[in-house]
């Protein structure tokens, strides 16, 4: 079976455990780094000292719905810009949305790759004298042309939960000097040094998942049971998601983050990315998003555009791939606007396949054999 996320019980830990601090220090020594439970809260704190209510932030339309909640909490409007087929901003659309009250423009490094157009976007933030937020939630370990993704802008975030088997965890990067000076961490900044109920719940859930992963039929039975349970529409409720994220990074996340073998993890993710590319190469109904995998990139997933996404997902599930999904569920105001045709189409046809370090490339090859049959 190929799960969505790695397990805390797998072997992606090293005795020396260089950890994320040393990694960030090596690649972005001048950036101030602060731990948080979630990237959304990091974003709020990073902006809080330098913005006034009534401003606006220009963000991509192709975005998870809860990411703009911290902006609303700060009294800022979020204005969504259209994207083009390469995931670059549609610059004409973006520039149209800038006005005197624009305090920041956000880029997003999708799937662990730099967002196309980053240089042009930086030129725009210079021209309009606003901040550049470099959202790198998807991949804390990606380095491109010598720059750690997330540190291109004045302010950046990255989400450790998307890389490691942890219940929470994120980093705020403050690169701009003024931002650094005016940054006042809230009570939600930092790492917890106490064991809390979340830590225990996480270990128990991870154990249960490890057991379920040993058998596809067991996994399907439990999934069916849970599907009949209470409606979990909360999980797509942006406000609920944001409020639930308001905790410092948990103790268990800190332990895992310090012990993780980051170089080994990036290597494993790259191998799995290449394995998916090989096994899906002959399929006419699928177009991989990225042909090349430049050095330094730590992919979050292997994204493909599927002409029949629901059928492809069903095929994958039959082959034991439970962690594949379309992404993201868009915010209602984006979903319902003609201005965002590409983002809406991509949210329906882009399927992300898991490449995490808990997967052995041979199991991707085995899925390939079954898909070909
Ligand atoms: C592009 C992007 N930015 C930001 C976030 C928010 O990260 P976190 O869940 O750590 O708050 C997400 C989470 O899904 C995301 O996909």
């Amino acid at each position: 079976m190929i799960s969505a996320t790695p397990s805390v019980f797998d072997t992606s830990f090293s005795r020396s455990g260089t950890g994320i601090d040393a990694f960030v220090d090596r690649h972005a020594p001048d950036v101030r780094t602060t731990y948080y439970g979630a990237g959304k809260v990091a974003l709020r704190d990073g902006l809080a000292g330098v913005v006034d209510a009534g401003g606006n932030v220009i963000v991509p339309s192709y975005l998870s719905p809860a990411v703009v909640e911290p902006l609303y909490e700060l009294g800022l409007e979020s204005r969504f810009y259209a994207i083009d087929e390469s995931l670059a901003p549609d610059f004409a659309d973006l520039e149209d949305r800038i006005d005197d009250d624009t305090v920041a423009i956000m880029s997003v490094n999708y799937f662990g790759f730099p967002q196309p157009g980053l240089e042009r976007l930086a030129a725009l933030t210079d021209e309009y004298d606003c901040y550049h937020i470099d959202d790198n939630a998807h991949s804390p370990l990606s380095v491109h042309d010598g720059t750690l993704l997330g540190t291109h802008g004045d302010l950046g975030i990255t989400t450790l939960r998307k890389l490691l088997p942890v219940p929470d965890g994120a980093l705020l990067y403050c690169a701009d000097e003024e931002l650094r000076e005016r940054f006042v961490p809230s009570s939600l900044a930092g790492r917890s040094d106490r064991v809390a109920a979340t830590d225990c719940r996480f270990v128990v859930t991870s154990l249960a998942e490890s057991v379920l992963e040993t058998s596809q039929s067991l996994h399907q039975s439990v999934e069916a049971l849970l599907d009949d349970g209470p409606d979990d529409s909360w999980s797509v409720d942006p406000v609920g998601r944001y409020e639930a994220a308001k905790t410092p990074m948990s103790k268990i996340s800190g332990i895992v983050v310090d012990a993780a073998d980051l170089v080994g993890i990036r290597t494993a993710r790259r191998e799995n990315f290449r394995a998916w590319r090989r096994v899906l190469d002959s399929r006419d109904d699928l177009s991989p998003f990225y042909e090349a995998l430049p050095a330094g990139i730590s992919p979050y997933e292997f994204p493909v555009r599927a002409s029949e996404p629901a059928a492809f997902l069903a095929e994958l599930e039959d082959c034991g791939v439970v962690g594949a999904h379309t992404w993201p569920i868009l915010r209602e105001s984006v979903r319902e606007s003609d201005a965002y045709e590409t983002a809406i189409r991509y949210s329906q046809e882009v399927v992300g396949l898991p490449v995490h370090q808990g997967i052995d490339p041979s199991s991707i090859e085995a899925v390939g054999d079954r898909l070909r049959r």
Side-chain angles (χ1 to χ4, degrees), residues 19-21 35 160 164 166-169 191-192 199 249-260:
I20 197 87
D21 285 338
Y35 281 100
L160 302 168
L164 297 165
V166 288
D168 53 30
R191 299 165 52 147
S192 173
D199 298 84
M249 186 163 99
S250 62
K251 182 159 176 110
I252 184 132
S253 296
I255 293 170
V256 174
V257 161
D258 290 343

Side-chain angles (χ1 to χ4, degrees), residues 218-349:
L218 182 63
H219 188 277
Q220 280 166 342
S221 313
V222 172
E223 216 175 36
L225 195 78
L226 294 177
D227 278 351
D228 287 341
D231 176 19
D232 79 336
S233 53
W234 172 87
S235 64
V236 290
D237 159 31
V239 179
R241 282 198 93 122
Y242 179 47
E243 291 304 319
K246 288 185 173 174
T247 58
M249 186 163 99
S250 62
K251 182 159 176 110
I252 184 132
S253 296
I255 293 170
V256 174
V257 161
D258 290 343
D261 169 14
L262 301 179
V263 174
I265 288 172
R266 184 163 66 181
T267 304
R269 297 182 88 100
R270 290 173 63 85
E271 261 182 58
N272 288 331
F273 185 96
R274 292 195 192 99
W276 279 121
R277 195 168 54 192
R278 269 194 311 277
V279 307
L280 299 177
D281 188 43
S282 58
R283 299 267 306 226
D284 294 337
D285 59 329
L286 304 174
S287 327
F289 232 103
Y290 304 98
E291 288 302 335
L293 179 60
I297 294 299
S298 170
Y300 171 43
E301 289 178 332
F302 182 79
V304 285
R305 289 167 55 187
S307 55
E308 305 216 25
F312 180 49
L313 284 170
E315 239 186 302
L316 287 167
E317 195 166 341
D318 277 351
C319 297
V321 183
V322 296
H325 60 99
T326 53
W327 183 86
I329 295 170
L330 298 174
R331 218 163 160 99
E332 204 174 329
S333 57
V334 172
R335 247 177 8 232
E336 290 176 356
S337 166
D338 295 341
Y340 307 117
E341 191 275 324
T342 308
I344 295 169
R345 186 160 41 82
Y346 279 6
S347 74
Q348 293 158 356
E349 69 181 25

